Amino acid sequence: MSFFDPLSWEIIPRINIGPAAISPHGIGIAVGYLLGAQLMVRRSKRFGGPDEADIWNMLFYALIGAIVGARVGYVLGHLSEVTDGGDDILGIFKVWEGGISLLGGITGAVLFALPYAFKHKLGFWRTTDLAVPGLALGIVIGRIGDLVIGDHLGRPTNFALGWRCTGSSGEAPLPYPDLSGGADPPSLGCFDEVVHQTAIYDFLSTLVLLGVLLYLGRKARNPGFLTIFFVIWYGTMRMITDFLRVDKRYLGLTGSQILSLLVGMTCLYFLVRYRGAPPRWRSVPASEPDISDPDPEIATQSDQETRQTPPIDHST
């Protein structure tokens, strides 16, 4: 028995503009990327980061990497479905039929931007620390697109944040399919059943994360601190929400959960051990001072060496 009114609204799978049809999901991704990039540029100007031209050039390569990585990440986890069991190899390239991975897109963006960042000595951790609040903003806006089209649905629930679709572009919701025979629940669509809408959970969590990152980013911290904090927070949330998602699993975990677990545990170690990136990885451009807190072990070792160095005799 339910004691609450579930969240509900009508979804809009496509926006028709003349003969063309645009997905609100794609609009959300595009707007999120642009506004996130603008936030990164503003933070760079405020905190003395890379030149604006360098940031936009790097973000161009990151955009290409995000597009490639989002598709590759999805294909790697759903190869049999994408290729129809191997009968349609070209299905790998049929992006218009759906199928992208957020974490794959983030990974691709980083990998494609790295060569430019290294070539122009932008400083990896400094640049990613400037970028992650914008990345969080982009995810928040992108999730709005998911909510508009009714994507990332989970199983039926009576949870307080459960969601019911009231219609799809003027058409009534469909009957929820019978899962008694072991069929997988749908992950996209409009059904007359209250279900987990994991995009809501991701939207709310990342919105809070954005506020925390902006707060933590007001003062100087060890290089990599904000980046590592983002990875741990977002990875933990994906670990939780993916248990409610409908997706292919390996040993009970989705591909996103496996990636989040591996990277998240590594970042958790860095946060506890170094409060940021390991000291040997904290490459700061020579033209700019390192305003981060010194690593306690390095500082202690430096003090000991100073005390052990004998004074110079200037007498003649």
Side-chain angles (χ1 to χ4, degrees):
M1 181 177 180
S2 177
F3 297 95
F4 63 90
D5 292 327
L7 301 172
S8 61
W9 58 80
E10 181 176 309
I11 65 171
I12 307 174
R14 293 287 187 273
I15 298 176
N16 295 314
I17 304 177
I22 303 176
S23 170
H25 181 240
I27 296 175
I29 293 175
V31 173
Y33 191 88
L34 290 175
L35 294 184
Q38 286 285 358
L39 178 57
M40 180 182 179
V41 170
R42 290 189 177 188
R43 283 175 48 78
S44 182
K45 291 179 178 179
R46 178 181 177 185
F47 297 105
D51 182 75
E52 181 176 351
D54 280 329
I55 291 181
W56 284 114
N57 289 335
M58 183 186 64
L59 288 174
F60 170 76
Y61 294 106
L63 176 60
I64 297 175
I67 296 172
V68 174
R71 184 57 177 174
V72 170
Y74 183 85
V75 168
L76 290 177
H78 306 80
L79 185 60
S80 60
E81 296 93 327
V82 171
T83 61
D84 193 18
D87 295 333
D88 182 17
I89 300 300
L90 293 181
I92 293 174
F93 304 102
K94 296 179 180 179
V95 183
W96 57 90
E97 294 183 355
I100 57 175
S101 165
L102 173 61
L103 296 186
I106 294 174
T107 303
V110 172
L111 292 179
F112 273 59
L114 274 178
Y116 186 92
F118 285 147
K119 179 180 179 180
H120 294 269
K121 298 180 174 59
L122 303 185
F124 174 78
W125 293 106
R126 176 186 66 157
T127 304
T128 56
D129 283 347
L130 291 172
V132 287
L135 176 57
L137 175 60
I139 293 174
V140 167
I141 297 174
R143 287 306 182 205
I144 295 176
D146 291 326
L147 296 175
V148 171
I149 69 172
D151 200 2
H152 301 307
L153 306 182
R155 293 181 177 274
T157 181
N158 57 6
F159 179 49
L161 290 179
W163 173 75
R164 175 187 283 122
C165 181
T166 59
S168 175
S169 296
E171 298 182 0
L174 299 173
Y176 196 78
D178 182 11
L179 307 179
S180 59
D184 291 329
S187 62
L188 172 68
C190 181
F191 304 96
D192 59 356
E193 182 76 36
V194 179
V195 299
H196 284 294
Q197 171 47 284
T198 61
I200 294 177
Y201 312 152
D202 199 66
F203 170 84
L204 295 175
S205 172
T206 311
L207 186 61
V208 175
L209 172 59
L210 171 61
V212 174
L213 288 172
L214 292 175
Y215 175 79
L216 294 176
R218 295 186 307 170
K219 60 175 290 187
R221 299 182 184 276
N222 285 344
F225 177 86
L226 289 184
T227 303
I228 290 171
F229 186 88
F230 170 90
V231 172
I232 293 173
W233 181 306
Y234 193 78
T236 300
M237 189 61 187
R238 284 301 299 265
M239 283 292 297
I240 296 172
T241 58
D242 268 29
F243 282 116
L244 306 174
R245 283 177 178 239
V246 179
D247 205 345
K248 189 172 183 179
R249 301 184 181 275
Y250 307 88
L251 301 177
L253 300 176
T254 67
S256 294
Q257 285 178 314
I258 294 173
L259 179 61
S260 296
L261 183 61
L262 294 177
V263 179
M265 292 301 293
T266 302
C267 286
L268 181 60
Y269 171 76
F270 289 162
L271 184 66
V272 174
R273 178 69 176 81
Y274 303 111
R275 302 192 308 279
R280 61 183 177 278
W281 294 353
R282 297 177 185 176
S283 57
V284 178
S287 60
E288 298 193 19
D290 184 357
I291 60 176
S292 63
D293 298 330
D295 183 80
E297 290 190 1
I298 295 179
T300 301
Q301 181 179 357
S302 177
D303 292 342
Q304 291 176 348
E305 292 175 354
T306 301
R307 290 194 297 268
Q308 293 173 359
T309 301
I312 301 175
D313 186 2
H314 295 282
S315 62
T316 58

